[in-house]
Amino acid sequence: MNIKDRIFEIITSPEKPSKASKIFDIFIICLIILNVITVIADTFKLPAWAGNIMWWIEVVSVVIFTIEYLLRIYVADLLFPELGPVRSRLRYLRSFMAVIDLLAILPFYIPYLIPIDLRVLRMLRIIRLLRIFKINRYTSALSTIVEVFRRKKHELLSSIAIVTMLMIIAAVLMYNIENEAQPDSFENAFAALWWAVATLTTVGYGDIYPVTVLGKILSAVIALLGIGLVAVPTGIISSGFVESMEEKKNKKENEHDEKCFCPYCGKKLK
């Protein structure tokens, strides 16, 4: 195995990871968690020495993430062997995780490349929080979540579309009912839409609510509909998880069965 193949094996998290691959995954996960902690800590008033420590953590993290990003581009032709060296790298650069990797390091380099307002710089630093999405590459649990959403995307989009239409209809109706009685609270359809979101999701903040009889009736109907409709995406995701777990279980059982029988004569091994 040459150096390029070895790098590919370590950083791409294969189905049967080696010891080096596991160590690499654990190290990157710990580094990501440490970065999320520093982003949260940055919202507090910290002493100068703590700020210096966080700065060096940021520098070291960016260097490591940059090297990782460049290595992934370097071995992209092994990830997509059916494509050429250029097309495989372009395909990787367009992938979701490659974009996340780039956004994780870009805010650090931008001020050195382009003169930028300090207020904009502070907003860009929030993008560092996207590093938490890098964990998706190193844990099977998060990969399962992504796979479930990918499989059930049509069902989820359909249920979300129905909920969205119901919210818009409810918002427009409530505006027409309550605007005359509460011109300050229901001043336009967008204010009524905020009420619809809070009611349909059964959150009920109470900052805006109907006072007319017809408005209260509509609010009760929307609240009851929300109990069922908002639960539909949850049910779709839950069923997707069950299906995914069953497939993994069946796959393991099949692999175990294959190991228990001789591949040549078909007899069960002792």
Side-chain angles (χ1 to χ4, degrees):
M1 184 181 292
N2 58 35
I3 296 176
K4 188 173 185 178
D5 291 331
R6 183 60 174 162
I7 292 172
F8 178 76
E9 181 191 19
I10 292 172
I11 69 175
T12 54
S13 299
E15 291 184 4
K16 295 180 180 179
S18 62
K19 187 176 181 180
S21 180
K22 289 179 180 178
I23 292 172
F24 175 78
D25 290 351
I26 292 170
F27 172 73
I28 295 295
I29 289 171
C30 292
L31 189 62
I32 292 168
I33 293 172
L34 180 62
N35 274 256
V36 173
I37 292 172
T38 59
V39 171
I40 296 171
D42 196 37
T43 62
F44 294 87
K45 292 182 179 179
L46 301 173
W49 62 267
N52 290 332
I53 292 174
M54 285 174 31
W55 165 251
W56 281 110
I57 290 173
E58 173 71 6
V59 171
V60 173
S61 299
V62 168
V63 170
I64 294 172
F65 289 147
T66 303
I67 294 172
E68 180 201 9
Y69 180 66
L70 294 176
L71 286 176
R72 290 188 182 279
I73 296 173
Y74 173 61
V75 300
D77 56 331
L78 298 178
L79 187 63
F80 305 107
E82 70 279 4
L83 303 176
V86 177
R87 289 179 62 195
S88 61
R89 288 173 172 84
L90 290 174
R91 180 172 175 179
Y92 171 73
L93 289 172
R94 293 196 302 268
S95 66
F96 174 76
M97 288 309 304
V99 173
I100 291 295
D101 289 341
L102 181 61
L103 291 175
I105 60 176
L106 202 58
F108 181 85
Y109 294 112
I110 286 177
Y112 297 101
L113 301 174
I114 305 171
I116 195 168
D117 189 282
L118 291 177
R119 290 170 295 180
V120 178
L121 174 60
R122 188 165 185 84
M123 292 177 63
L124 285 174
R125 292 178 67 187
I126 300 174
I127 300 176
R128 294 180 301 163
L129 198 58
L130 291 175
R131 291 172 189 173
I132 196 170
F133 288 104
K134 286 168 64 67
I135 294 180
N136 177 61
R137 182 182 281 127
Y138 309 100
T139 58
S140 59
L142 289 175
S143 298
T144 302
I145 294 174
V146 174
E147 182 61 27
V148 168
F149 274 88
R150 186 181 292 114
R151 286 185 181 184
K152 300 292 183 179
K153 60 183 178 182
H154 296 297
E155 294 91 335
L156 286 171
L157 287 173
S158 297
S159 62
I160 291 170
I162 293 171
V163 172
T164 303
M165 286 189 290
L166 181 60
M167 283 194 300
I168 293 172
I169 292 170
V172 174
L173 286 174
M174 187 59 74
Y175 165 74
N176 285 283
I177 293 170
E178 292 290 324
N179 176 254
E180 189 175 343
Q182 300 185 81
D184 294 332
S185 296
F186 291 88
E187 57 183 346
N188 51 50
F190 284 104
L193 186 61
W194 168 247
W195 162 85
V197 172
T199 305
L200 267 174
T201 55
T202 66
V203 174
Y205 288 114
D207 55 337
I208 178 172
Y209 53 88
V211 294
T212 64
V213 175
L214 191 56
K216 289 178 180 180
I217 293 172
L218 177 61
S219 182
V221 172
I222 296 301
L224 291 172
L225 288 173
I227 295 172
L229 288 176
V230 176
V232 170
T234 306
I236 292 171
I237 295 169
S238 300
S239 65
F241 269 111
V242 173
E243 291 173 8
S244 180
M245 294 303 169
E246 285 293 329
E247 286 180 6
K248 288 185 178 180
K249 184 180 177 181
N250 293 334
K251 186 178 179 181
K252 287 183 180 179
E253 289 177 352
N254 291 335
E255 289 176 355
H256 180 266
D257 290 341
E258 288 175 2
K259 292 178 182 178
C260 293
F261 291 90
C262 177
Y264 302 104
C265 65
K267 291 183 179 180
K268 190 172 183 179
L269 300 175
K270 295 182 179 179

